[in-house]
Amino acid sequence: MAKVIMTADDSASVRQMVTFTLKQGGYDVVEAVDGKDALQKLSSTKVDMLITDLNMPNLDGIGLIKGARALPSCKFIPIVMLTTESQDSKKQEGKAAGATGWIVKPFKPEQLMAVVKKVLG
Amino acid sequence: MIDQHRQAFKEEAYELLAELETSLLELEEQPDDVDVIGRVFRAMHTIKGSGSMFGFDDIAAFTHEVETIFDMVRNGKLKVTGRLVNLTLAARDQIRAMLDGADDGGGGVDLKASGEIIMGLRELAGFQPAAAEPPEAAAAAQKPVNLATYRIRFAPSRDIFITGTNPLTLLQELKELGTCSVVAQTGDFPCLEEIDPEACYVYWDLILTTDQGDNAIRDVFIFVEDDCELRIEQVAEHTQFDEPQDYKKLGMILLERGDITTEEMEEILAQQHKFGELAVSNGILDQGKVQSALVEQRHVKEVRQEKQATEAASSIRVPAERLDLLVNLVGEMVTVQARLSQTAAQREDAELVAIAEEVERLTAELRDSALNIRMLPIGSTFSKFKRLVRDLSVELGKQIEITTEGAETELDKTVIEKLNDPLVHLIRNSIDHGIELPEARVEAGKPAHGTVHLAAVHSGDSVVITIDDDGAGLDKEAIRAKAIEKGIIAATAELSDKELFSLIFAPGFSTAKKISSVSGRGVGMDVVKRAIELLRGSIDISSVQGKGTRIAVKIPLTLAIIESLRVQIGEDSFMLPLSLVDECVELTREDVERSHGRNLAHVRAQLIPYIPLREHFRIQGTPPEIQQIVITQMNGSRVGFVVDQVIGEHQTVIKSLGRAYRDVDGISGATILGDGSVALILDVPQLLQAVEAGQA
């Protein structure tokens, strides 16, 4: 069965690109429009990996990572956050919250796939 | 970038800009509202991030400036003022103009206005934020790195699992960088009741030989370098030819790693036993550390040996023509030697016979070593295919990994050269027709990426090259239907799998539903088969639907000299490649009459079709009372060739035919016999084809 990856991002175009790239790579994708939506979906859907933006309305990426790690089903899944160069302190915050790694925006589809392969094996 | 994504971004950006306008107007009313400031920042941030992802670099660069200012506002470093709101509104309009103009080459955007807005914002912030540095600076030109061996100790923090990191994927990634030996260190495991199942107690020692440099190694650990103990040391660089075979002593390695002190080492050395055993039994080291150092010792030794082997192989460079000349001369020599032996036998002169025998022995040795010089490992051809697979995967949107085995297998240089095109075609076929698209693979319960496995192995005087793919396999029904449609087989024909698969070698046969840029170039499998047969090789297919296809190509080691069977028709001599000959049986005139002109012989209750070569080549004269049938075997079917007489086995030096004879069907070359006369070498596969075509 294909592995399921959730993309949590308030930007529809980024979600579209991430989804498109991951589906090309043979993964199933669940989309969430912000942290709150993601957390809700995570409690009912089993995912193998989470890719989340940091800046989102309602619940931001850090909050989502903390919330996800508190769910038994998400305790050990890879969580990758989308950051920008200028957010180095956020990166540390994210790691402390339990993020596995990060992707620096802007990224190309191949870079996304490389990171997915790296953390998902 | 795909247009559809760009369009999606534009639509989204327009929405965001509309929102931004509302937020900014709100901000003017309530300059201290943190929520609104956050909204403005996020809108800018999204436009910037997505913009540059979808190729709107000008928008990204411009928005970056505005975002930087609002980051300061967000952090309380800057107050919201009327001027700030005005400038930001202007910036918003500017972004909109850039979006509008994006599809007609960016025309109509007032660059001067952009500059003024940015200047204004920077002034407000009271500093000169550096423009976004182009990321290229970081990716400075990388020099090619030499092959080097690294000693890596990767000790993740106990709580590495809670960040969802799987250390095994990192080890796997390292393995892909080169030759890697891994030793897991389990010495830190607590006793059972103290184990926290969510903690990582293992650490790893790795020895990696790679030409990627230490940055590539560090990149593997990029996400975990802060929460693990990571040591990367270069222990050897493989540049010298004359590295000593013996690698460092075990004690030396442990000392360098800091696992042991000089005093401890000397103490152990004072006792006359094996160092590692003693270190462990004395309780100075645990078994894992010693094991790890031993692995390093072995690893470096192996890498050196391998390197020396390849260096030795390339230690003399000789132009190919000189080798060809040498082999040609050896060929002449073999011919003359045959003549000498023949003459000596006729003269009944004991001394001459003795000399002839001596010359025969030397010639055989000379021949073997001359041919050996032309032997090359097939590895370089294999590595070319890696590129091919990579390019094709990208082109076809498939994920394909290629693995190879037996790259060291040696073949004659000319065989390797001539093998290249057929193999390329077969690999293309495996990738294009065999391996499915990732979605289809996943649906079929297979991993998204397919595998093509190339292997070469010696088998007697031949080499067998197999191409295995784990793709869809051949569709028997589709092949059958196509063959019936093309009139190759009858609708009622019952064929074994093997026979069915071999149909794809029929000219003009293709099961591809549509012609892609990869296949369908007018080169069919029939051409591949022909090319392999010209090398006096054979090709064999097996396939399981849904599981994959294996193509095995068997080819002789060399083309210069073959073992052959010499036969005679009238005054003419012919040669048949011995590797294809199964047996020889007699054919009496009675037998011929009994078969009523159908050219079928009974051999041990089996009917074997035969080709009377005398008729085929229109040789004058009458055949003898008892003729001989030389039965050959090709791709599982047995066919006989009727000749007057079988003379015997013969070492045949192949001479190519002149241009005038190049297109003669059924003849692949010629050779010179001991008495100076010429014998033609029969092209068995082509003869079979010609006859089959004639019968159809």
Side-chain angles (χ1 to χ4, degrees), chain A residues 2 11-14 16-17 20 24-25 55 57 69 75-77 84 95 98-102 106-107 117-118 121, chain B residues 2 5 8 12 42 45-46 50 52-54 161-165 169 173 176 198 219-220 222-223 227 399 442:
Chain A
S11 157
S13 59
V14 173
Q16 192 184 72
M17 186 183 96
F20 181 79
Q24 288 262 302
N55 285 293
R69 283 287 180 236
K75 196 163 182 184
F76 298 117
I77 65 165
T84 58
K95 287 226 71 174
T100 315
W102 59 88
F107 56 85
K117 187 169 178 277
K118 183 184 188 74
Chain B
I2 296 165
H5 294 315
E12 185 180 349
R42 268 206 312 278
H45 189 74
T46 306
S50 322
S52 83
M53 236 183 285
F54 298 108
F161 297 138
I162 65 163
T163 60
T165 303
T169 64
E173 221 180 320
E176 284 166 14
E198 292 184 1
D219 278 351
V220 171
I222 185 162
F223 290 159
D227 348 283
Q399 299 169 10
V442 169

Side-chain angles (χ1 to χ4, degrees), chain B residues 459-487:
Chain B
S459 154
D461 62 350
S462 302
V463 168
V464 179
I465 296 169
T466 49
I467 301 160
D468 274 292
D469 69 63
D470 63 349
L474 291 174
D475 185 343
K476 284 188 224 167
E477 286 317 305
I479 294 174
R480 166 179 276 280
K482 187 91 179 185
I484 294 170
E485 179 199 321
K486 294 249 167 199

Side-chain angles (χ1 to χ4, degrees), chain B residues 50 161 257 296 419 471 610:
Chain B
S50 322
F161 297 138
R257 289 168 174 236
E296 175 178 326
L419 204 52
Y610 61 74

Side-chain angles (χ1 to χ4, degrees), chain B residues 561-618:
Chain B
I561 293 185
I562 55 165
E563 288 282 333
S564 55
L565 190 72
R566 182 174 159 198
V567 298
Q568 195 119 22
I569 303 168
E571 294 294 303
D572 298 321
S573 289
F574 294 92
M575 297 290 184
L576 283 148
L578 199 61
S579 57
L580 299 178
V581 174
D582 240 12
E583 59 178 325
C584 301
V585 296
E586 289 184 348
L587 180 73
T588 60
R589 203 159 279 172
E590 249 171 63
D591 293 331
V592 177
E593 278 157 15
R594 220 185 310 149
S595 69
H596 306 291
R598 279 180 305 159
N599 291 351
L600 287 171
H602 284 269
V603 179
R604 292 187 301 277
Q606 198 192 0
L607 273 180
I608 294 186
Y610 61 74
I611 300 163
L613 286 181
R614 180 180 279 277
E615 276 173 43
H616 186 84
F617 290 121
R618 303 204 180 90

Side-chain angles (χ1 to χ4, degrees), chain B residues 250-262:
Chain B
L250 182 58
M252 206 57 215
I253 298 175
L254 287 162
L255 193 66
E256 276 182 24
R257 289 168 174 236
D259 286 339
I260 193 173
T261 64
T262 320

Side-chain angles (χ1 to χ4, degrees), chain B residues 19-40:
Chain B
E19 249 179 68
L20 186 61
E21 192 163 35
T22 326
S23 305
L24 283 169
L25 295 175
E26 229 175 285
L27 198 58
E28 199 160 31
E29 306 281 311
Q30 299 153 303
D32 297 324
D33 192 321
V34 201
D35 279 353
V36 184
I37 295 173
R39 280 214 303 271
V40 172

Side-chain angles (χ1 to χ4, degrees), chain B residues 276-292:
Chain B
E277 287 168 21
L278 277 170
V280 175
S281 64
N282 287 5
I284 293 169
L285 289 168
D286 66 40
Q287 185 65 46
K289 292 204 171 85
V290 175
Q291 186 60 31
S292 168

